[in-house]
Amino acid sequence: LEACKAQAKVIEGGLASLHIRTVEQLKEAFEEPELLNQILSEGFIKGRLLSVLREELKNSRVRSAWKAVLKPKTIKPMNRPLLRRLDVIRVDITNISEINQIDQTFYARVFIILRIKDGMLDDDLVKDFEGFPFDEDGRPTFRPSAKWYLNQLDYPNARDIRTLDSKVTTEGNDLKLIQRIEGLFNQRFCLRDFPFDQQDLTVTLSANCALEGPVPVEFHLGDEPAQLGVDTVNFALTDIYNLFPEVTAKTMTLGASSTRRFPAVQLRVNVQRKSEFIKLNAAMPCSCIALLSLSTFFLPPEDTADRLENTITILLTAVAFRFTTNNYLPMVSYMTVIDKFTLLCTGAIVICFFSHSVLGLLFYWAGVEVELLEVFNKIFLGVFLATWASANMWFLHKERLITCKNFGGKRRIGKRRPDEMKNKEEDEGSNEENIDKGSNKEAKSDKLLARRATQSSLERQSVTLWRRTSTLSNLTLPSEDEENFQQCEESVDTTFSTVIDADRVRRQ
């Protein structure tokens, strides 16, 4: 057996030196006299072995003896899918602008840092190669580098984006995938509550690595809280919207097929529209135009022509004003709050028109006396006022209702801001420190520590509440939070007065 193996290696080496590695090449060599003479001259195939090979090749059969000459190629098993976890550790959303209700888009710049924990310990991830890896036989290994994973990041709801920065860095044993992009993002705006609406601006980050594919990836918000922030200082639309400083993140999956899903992270920023412009330039003029119809009821009841003429003029004015306000009202196929309010005001004018028509019918056709017409005139006047007042009350109630729905039942409080209260507390603290100058140092230190602990608790409480409501034009707070705030403020005042009284008694 050993002799046969040695002879097979000699034959294999000789054929390889003549560039003969397959059965087809050996067939061609036996058919060409020059190659056959070269094989015979080498002497590694001779005698009966040559005739046997010719016979086997004629019949196109390769038996076990021939397989020993041409060594079969070993096939390595394919690598199993290895799930990579990308931790979202930081997201910054800045330069929000161009919130377009017609195109349903907004502009933003996004900075994202993803972490692969202990990625430096993986030889495949640290390779400086952005392409998909293949082994020496040309088969994929399904073990790409971190740069390849960085290039697979995608933004499904982006319309036109530009990559500003994209790199892989290290921190200890961890790898960080850093990317900064800017562009337009698609966003479906729901404007049913316009002009009191609150909109979500969403940036969706995904990876082109299916969970069921050979290179699966999943996003994770991290064991530690991720640093999620939005730039409210450089917000370009502060005159139109209030931008909230919080960013919410949620992991999800995307894909048209249920058997092939792609991981994604949804980053959401919230903006609230400032309604003062619409109220002053659309709602209030429309309400005033409708109220002008009240003047027609003071004309003589029997003067139907003048009444109808004035009412029609007011109605045409309302319609013309409605066309002038279309430029800054959303053009959607459903009715918004401002659309319903203008429709109610127009309905009040129409009621006024029909009231005058009925009075004319009663006077000219039914022959009703003027005294009775005055009674009907007052009744119709009351109906018109009730309709107009109901429309305005509904509009104000809708504003309060939508605000409560958006902010969890918050109610208005005074214009006193937490930063003003903080300044007042600092002034009181400075007065107390002046009083404590003549007291014992140890007692003074204890009292100052107690005061500062209570004051810092109040400051944290006030800052938390102010962050929730700093972007509202009308400062609102939940009733429960306000009670806690007042209790905390009362406790600070009590502590201050106790310290001052104790110092006064000690000096006496």
Side-chain angles (χ1 to χ4, degrees):
L1 182 60
E2 295 295 334
C4 292
K5 288 183 179 180
Q7 186 180 3
K9 288 183 178 180
V10 172
I11 296 174
E12 182 181 5
L15 292 175
S17 65
L18 297 176
H19 304 286
I20 299 174
R21 294 183 177 85
T22 63
V23 178
E24 288 76 11
Q25 292 175 351
L26 187 60
K27 286 181 182 180
E28 294 177 359
F30 282 161
E31 293 176 358
E32 295 183 7
E34 294 181 1
L35 290 177
L36 181 59
N37 293 332
Q38 191 174 359
I39 292 174
L40 294 176
S41 63
E42 293 291 338
F44 48 82
I45 298 178
K46 57 185 178 179
R48 296 182 60 184
L49 181 58
L50 180 61
S51 61
V52 171
L53 286 176
R54 283 180 171 178
E55 188 67 24
E56 291 293 332
L57 292 176
K58 275 184 183 179
N59 298 329
S60 298
R61 295 175 183 175
V62 181
R63 303 186 185 277
S64 59
W66 180 243
K67 291 181 180 179
V69 177
L70 299 176
K71 186 178 180 181
K73 190 175 182 180
T74 58
I75 300 176
K76 298 180 181 179
M78 301 286 287
N79 291 327
R80 293 184 178 182
L82 178 61
L83 180 64
R84 299 289 190 186
R85 193 178 80 169
L86 304 180
D87 296 331
V88 181
I89 61 175
R90 181 179 174 183
V91 174
D92 293 338
I93 300 179
T94 60
N95 297 86
I96 298 177
S97 61
E98 300 180 19
I99 302 178
N100 195 323
Q101 302 168 0
I102 299 177
D103 295 339
Q104 303 281 291
T105 58
F106 70 95
Y107 175 88
R109 180 177 295 179
V110 184
F111 177 72
I112 295 177
I113 299 180
L114 306 176
R115 179 183 63 190
I116 303 179
K117 195 172 183 180
D118 297 332
M120 288 293 295
L121 305 179
D122 194 315
D123 295 335
D124 297 320
L125 290 175
V126 298
K127 291 180 179 178
D128 190 14
F129 180 64
E130 296 183 1
F132 200 77
F134 294 88
D135 59 11
E136 62 274 6
D137 298 325
R139 298 190 309 157
T141 62
F142 303 115
R143 296 293 185 268
S145 64
K147 290 186 176 181
W148 183 87
Y149 284 108
L150 180 61
N151 294 332
Q152 302 309 307
L153 298 182
D154 190 20
Y155 300 86
N157 69 324
R159 172 178 293 187
D160 183 18
I161 61 173
R162 183 168 63 97
T163 302
L164 303 178
D165 189 15
S166 183
K167 59 185 177 180
V168 178
T169 61
T170 61
E171 183 179 355
N173 292 332
D174 300 335
L175 290 176
K176 286 187 176 181
L177 312 183
I178 301 175
Q179 192 172 74
R180 187 193 304 271
I181 59 101
E182 67 175 2
L184 290 175
F185 296 87
N186 295 319
Q187 176 66 49
R188 181 180 178 273
F189 297 117
C190 183
L191 301 169
R192 296 186 184 276
D193 296 335
F194 182 89
F196 313 114
D197 57 316
Q198 207 174 11
Q199 302 296 339
D200 289 331
L201 306 180
T202 305
V203 176
T204 303
L205 169 66
S206 67
N208 296 325
C209 302
L211 295 174
E212 299 82 3
V215 192
V217 168
E218 70 171 358
F219 290 104
H220 190 258
L221 295 180
D223 300 329
E224 300 178 358
Q227 299 178 9
L228 309 176
V230 58
D231 184 11
T232 59
V233 177
N234 298 317
F235 182 49
L237 304 177
T238 52
D239 295 333
I240 305 174
Y241 295 95
N242 291 316
L243 177 62
F244 291 88
E246 294 87 7
V247 178
T248 58
K250 182 182 70 173
T251 57
M252 55 186 298
T253 58
L254 302 174
S257 174
S258 59
T259 59
R260 189 169 180 81
R261 309 295 295 176
F262 294 88
V265 177
Q266 196 175 64
L267 308 170
R268 184 174 299 170
V269 179
N270 193 266
V271 293
Q272 184 211 11
R273 189 186 309 276
K274 294 182 178 180
S275 60
E276 284 75 12
F277 176 81
I278 301 300
K279 288 191 293 185
L280 292 176
N281 294 277
M284 186 177 295
C286 184
S287 177
C288 293
I289 292 173
L291 187 61
L292 291 178
S293 301
L294 180 66
S295 61
T296 60
F297 286 95
F298 297 99
L299 295 175
E302 65 276 8
D303 195 358
T304 306
D306 291 341
R307 285 192 169 203
L308 293 179
E309 181 181 359
N310 292 336
T311 305
I312 292 175
T313 302
I314 295 173
L315 180 60
L316 293 177
T317 303
V319 173
F321 178 77
R322 182 69 174 85
F323 279 107
T324 60
T325 58
N326 283 337
N327 294 330
Y328 46 85
L329 295 181
M331 293 181 288
V332 292
S333 59
Y334 50 84
M335 295 187 65
T336 62
V337 173
I338 191 65
D339 292 333
K340 295 177 181 178
F341 176 70
T342 55
L343 187 62
L344 288 175
C345 292
T346 306
I349 301 175
V350 173
I351 289 175
C352 180
F353 178 84
F354 280 108
S355 300
H356 300 328
S357 300
V358 171
L359 289 177
L361 291 175
L362 292 177
F363 181 74
Y364 291 104
W365 287 11
V368 177
E369 296 180 356
V370 177
E371 291 78 8
L372 188 58
L373 285 179
E374 292 287 349
V375 176
F376 283 112
N377 184 54
K378 294 179 180 179
I379 294 175
F380 290 141
L381 175 61
V383 173
F384 169 77
L385 288 176
T387 304
W388 180 84
S390 299
N392 286 269
M393 291 179 63
W394 174 85
F395 186 73
L396 296 176
H397 173 71
K398 200 68 177 177
E399 176 185 6
R400 184 178 181 85
L401 187 65
I402 294 173
T403 304
C404 292
K405 180 185 70 174
N406 291 337
F407 302 104
K410 298 178 182 179
R411 60 187 180 87
R412 297 180 180 179
I413 64 172
K415 296 294 183 180
R416 188 182 180 187
R417 296 187 177 184
D419 52 358
E420 298 175 356
M421 292 184 284
K422 180 179 178 181
N423 294 334
K424 181 181 177 181
E425 292 159 8
E426 290 176 354
D427 295 337
E428 293 177 356
S430 62
N431 294 334
E432 181 194 349
E433 290 177 0
N434 294 332
I435 295 174
D436 286 339
K437 284 183 179 179
S439 62
N440 186 277
K441 291 184 179 181
E442 184 176 357
K444 175 182 175 181
S445 177
D446 294 339
K447 291 178 177 59
L448 286 177
L449 288 175
R451 179 187 60 78
R452 288 171 181 171
T454 309
Q455 182 179 359
S456 62
S457 175
L458 176 61
E459 290 176 358
R460 288 194 300 269
Q461 182 81 1
S462 61
V463 168
T464 301
L465 298 177
W466 175 243
R467 283 179 178 175
R468 297 179 184 175
T469 58
S470 60
T471 55
L472 296 177
S473 57
N474 294 327
L475 185 60
T476 57
L477 285 176
S479 57
E480 182 180 354
D481 288 349
E482 185 187 358
E483 293 175 0
N484 295 336
F485 185 85
Q486 292 176 353
Q487 293 177 1
C488 190
E489 186 178 13
E490 292 175 359
S491 65
V492 172
D493 294 338
T494 304
T495 304
F496 288 162
S497 60
T498 302
V499 172
I500 294 173
D501 294 341
D503 182 69
R504 184 184 298 110
V505 171
R506 185 170 54 254
R507 286 202 305 268
Q508 291 177 354

